[in-house]
Amino acid sequence: MDIEDTSEGKAKKISIPSDLLFKCPRCQQVALMEEFTAGGKVCKSCGYHARLSARERLELTVDNETFKEYDTLMKSRNPIDFPGYEEKVKELQKKTGLSDAVVTGECEIMGEQCVVAVMDSRFMMASMGSVVGEKITRAFERATEKRLPVVIFTSSGGARMQEGILSLMQMAKTSGACARHSDAGLLYITVLTDPTTGGVTASFAMLGDIIIAEPKVLVGFAGRRVIEGTIKQRLPDDFQSAEFLMEHGFVDMIVERREMRRTLADLIRLHGAGKAGGFDE
């Protein structure tokens, strides 16, 4: 980050280490990165919710030492031989420490047992390829077998183009696993984070029994310009925001990050779903 120093009557730029300060992209206020991170990466001035990595989300949400990760070694094999795909995946694996764009596992949230999945936008914008689809599907299947609720934090740019039609097939696969979990009388909670778009929105992201969103996050299928070009109309300024979706019945609750953990625990407890029992038939 560069700032101007005019203390000696001359304007000169001073470089600030990127990990020292945070400048909010919405209100432009500057805060110490340490304080911003300690506050869950929420701007104190305007309430802007910055994106979190999967590990940061888990640290904020699950009880200490209760998370047991699933399918840690699952990796994509470049099924359609897309040029440069394998190199890109390896680079991101090294950079993020993840095998792919979602982390799944079993945990407790304030003592309530559940299966959780967290998508990480740092990994190819959390696009859904075969690995993401398989890990989400297995998470639902394990939850169904153990009669546990599922909580998924979604964040995605949509289907992964580098895997072609195989990525689109994940929409049906994850939706089918979600349906079987529902048929077993078990609770599924979706938490929409910024952004949730494309094939993820068109499948498991909007199938939750309860759909929660963080404030002002982007949620949609196609982009604004594509829709406006198709219908030949200008869309409202807040179109595809969490608040717009809640107003039109697509989202049940908008919950700030500081209240998310307690809200999830209360919902699971309210439905009697966090004790490996599910609903009575």
Side-chain angles (χ1 to χ4, degrees):
M1 180 187 298
D2 293 331
I3 63 173
E4 285 193 353
D5 179 11
T6 57
S7 59
E8 298 178 0
K10 295 182 179 180
K12 60 180 180 179
K13 287 188 176 181
I14 300 176
S15 294
I16 303 295
S18 58
D19 60 349
L20 179 63
L21 298 176
F22 168 78
K23 185 176 182 180
C24 178
R26 183 180 297 161
C27 70
Q28 306 301 309
Q29 292 296 308
V30 177
L32 289 172
M33 182 64 77
E34 184 178 355
E35 293 180 359
F36 176 66
T37 302
K41 291 192 172 181
V42 177
C43 177
K44 290 184 178 180
S45 298
C46 69
Y48 169 75
H49 283 50
R51 295 172 185 173
L52 297 177
S53 69
R55 299 300 176 189
E56 288 172 330
R57 181 73 65 177
L58 289 169
E59 287 177 9
L60 286 175
T61 307
V62 309
D63 297 351
N64 291 336
E65 299 182 359
T66 65
F67 182 65
K68 301 175 183 176
E69 188 172 353
Y70 295 155
D71 305 313
T72 57
L73 301 179
M74 192 179 296
K75 299 177 182 178
S76 174
R77 290 186 175 181
N78 193 10
I80 64 170
D81 294 326
F82 192 93
Y85 180 45
E86 293 176 63
E87 292 75 15
K88 181 67 173 177
V89 168
K90 288 179 181 178
E91 177 186 341
L92 287 168
Q93 287 171 342
K94 183 178 180 181
K95 183 178 180 180
T96 64
L98 303 173
S99 62
D100 213 287
V102 69
V103 175
T104 61
E106 196 173 319
C107 71
E108 291 183 11
I109 302 176
M110 299 187 74
E112 300 299 323
Q113 192 176 3
C114 66
V115 169
V116 66
V118 184
M119 305 187 78
D120 195 318
S121 60
R122 298 175 304 159
F123 202 109
M124 298 186 75
M125 204 53 235
S127 52
M128 181 165 63
S130 54
V131 170
V132 171
E134 182 66 16
K135 291 183 76 170
I136 294 289
T137 298
R138 291 190 185 190
F140 273 116
E141 290 174 345
R142 289 187 174 113
T144 303
E145 180 182 350
K146 296 184 177 184
R147 297 196 61 76
L148 289 173
V150 173
V151 176
I152 299 184
F153 290 86
T154 64
S155 172
S156 180
R160 187 170 298 180
M161 58 165 284
Q162 291 88 347
E163 295 189 19
I165 191 65
L166 294 178
S167 65
L168 298 179
M169 292 168 63
Q170 307 310 310
M171 296 169 62
K173 185 167 73 174
T174 55
S175 297
C178 177
R180 291 189 292 273
H181 183 262
S182 179
D183 290 343
L186 300 168
L187 177 67
Y188 169 36
I189 301 174
T190 312
V191 182
L192 308 176
T193 74
D194 187 61
T196 297
T197 61
V200 169
T201 304
S203 55
F204 64 87
M206 301 304 289
L207 294 177
D209 298 302
I210 301 171
I211 300 178
I212 302 172
E214 289 190 323
K216 293 181 169 56
V217 298
L218 171 67
V219 182
F221 180 61
R224 171 185 286 269
R225 285 181 296 177
V226 173
I227 299 172
E228 288 182 335
T230 301
I231 66 175
K232 308 301 181 185
Q233 296 180 28
R234 177 167 175 77
L235 297 168
D237 291 339
D238 63 346
F239 182 71
Q240 294 185 328
S241 69
E243 290 72 15
F244 184 91
L245 267 67
M246 184 170 177
E247 182 181 345
H248 290 80
F250 288 92
V251 167
D252 298 305
M253 308 168 66
I254 295 176
V255 180
E256 293 187 7
R257 192 168 291 166
R258 62 183 178 180
E259 299 294 336
M260 188 66 72
R261 183 167 179 259
R262 179 169 295 279
T263 299
L264 291 172
D266 287 346
L267 287 171
I268 295 172
R269 190 176 300 116
L270 177 66
H271 287 80
K275 302 300 180 184
F279 302 114
D280 292 330
E281 295 290 344

